[in-house]
Amino acid sequence: MATSRLLGYLESSKNLTGSAGGLLGLVLTFTGVAGPYWPVVVAGLYGAGALIAPPERPPLPEFPTPSAQLEAVRSDFERLGGYLAEIDLPPAAAGRLKEWEDLLSALLDPGWAAELLVNDPESVHVLSRAVRQDIPEAVDSFVRTRWWTRLAPGQEAPERHLERQLTLLKEEAEQLATALRDTEARRQETHTRYLEDRGT
C-alpha cells in the first residue's frame, strides 16, 4: 500500500512539476546565482512547483456503453418472456401483451432500429423501464388482485386495469417506434436536400 502510494506520487504532476523546479534550482546553483543557500533554493523551488501543479484528477467511473445497456435490456426481455409464458391471462389482455411483445421484439432485434436506439439513451431507458418494471408490475399486480377478487367478489375486475395498462404501454412503444421512424425520415430528407444543394 505504501509502495503504491509512493509510486503514485513519483508519477504525479506535483512531483514532476516540483522536480522541474528543483532542476531549475540546480541550474541556478551551478551558475552561481544561488550562492551558499543553494539547498534552500532547490528545496524552495521544488516545493513551489509542487504547490502550483494542478491537482490529480481521479479517473472517471466506467459506465456501461449504450450498446451494452441495450444488450442488457434485450437479455432481460428474453427473461421476461419466460416469466410471461407461465402466466394465465384473459384473452383480451393476452392479445394486447402479445402485440407489445412483438413490437418490442422488433425494436430490440439487432438491425437498424437497434442502431438508432444506441444513439438515443432516453429511448433505451423507456424500453428498460417497460421491460424491467412496468410489465412485470402490471402482470404481477393482476395475478395478486385476481386472487383477492375471488375471495371477495364485487370489486372492479382486475382484467380491466391490466388491459388498460397494457394498452398504455403498447402506445408508449408505438410512440417510440414512430420517433425512430421520424429520425430515419429526417435523415433521408436531409440527404435529399444535400444532393439538391450540391447540384445547384
Side-chain angles (χ1 to χ4, degrees):
M1 186 71 175
T3 304
S4 62
R5 283 183 181 175
L6 176 61
L7 289 175
Y9 178 75
L10 290 176
E11 297 173 353
S12 70
S13 60
K14 286 186 173 298
N15 182 52
L16 295 176
T17 308
S19 297
L23 285 174
L24 177 60
L26 290 175
V27 170
L28 292 176
T29 299
F30 290 131
T31 57
V33 176
Y37 303 104
W38 69 268
V40 176
V41 172
V42 171
L45 288 174
Y46 175 87
L51 285 175
I52 65 170
E56 292 294 321
R57 287 177 49 234
L60 291 172
E62 293 186 9
F63 296 110
T65 63
S67 297
Q69 291 176 350
L70 190 60
E71 185 60 38
V73 173
R74 190 177 291 124
S75 175
D76 290 342
F77 178 64
E78 292 178 6
R79 193 176 327 146
L80 176 64
Y83 162 74
L84 295 174
E86 299 178 6
I87 305 296
D88 181 27
L89 297 177
R96 284 192 174 87
L97 181 62
K98 180 67 167 59
E99 293 172 352
W100 177 85
E101 287 183 292
D102 290 344
L103 184 53
L104 250 69
S105 179
L107 288 172
L108 290 173
D109 276 347
W112 70 266
E115 291 174 6
L116 287 176
L117 284 171
V118 164
N119 297 317
D120 187 359
E122 183 59 32
S123 296
V124 174
H125 171 70
V126 169
L127 292 177
S128 173
R129 183 180 58 200
V131 169
R132 296 170 177 162
Q133 177 181 337
D134 295 334
I135 289 292
E137 175 63 24
V139 172
D140 185 59
S141 62
F142 162 74
V143 171
R144 287 182 284 130
T145 306
R146 179 175 58 178
W147 184 82
W148 284 107
T149 303
R150 289 173 181 169
L151 293 180
Q155 303 295 321
E156 185 177 7
E159 290 84 355
R160 291 182 184 174
H161 284 289
L162 177 61
E163 290 170 18
R164 181 63 182 143
Q165 291 167 3
L166 294 174
T167 299
L168 291 170
L169 289 168
K170 180 175 175 287
E171 290 173 356
E172 182 182 59
E174 287 173 342
Q175 291 171 1
L176 176 58
T178 299
L180 294 175
R181 183 199 63 199
D182 291 347
T183 298
E184 284 291 77
R186 285 193 299 272
R187 178 184 173 193
Q188 185 183 37
E189 292 168 4
T190 299
H191 190 59
T192 300
R193 286 195 299 272
Y194 163 73
L195 293 175
E196 290 172 347
D197 293 343
R198 192 175 70 179
T200 58

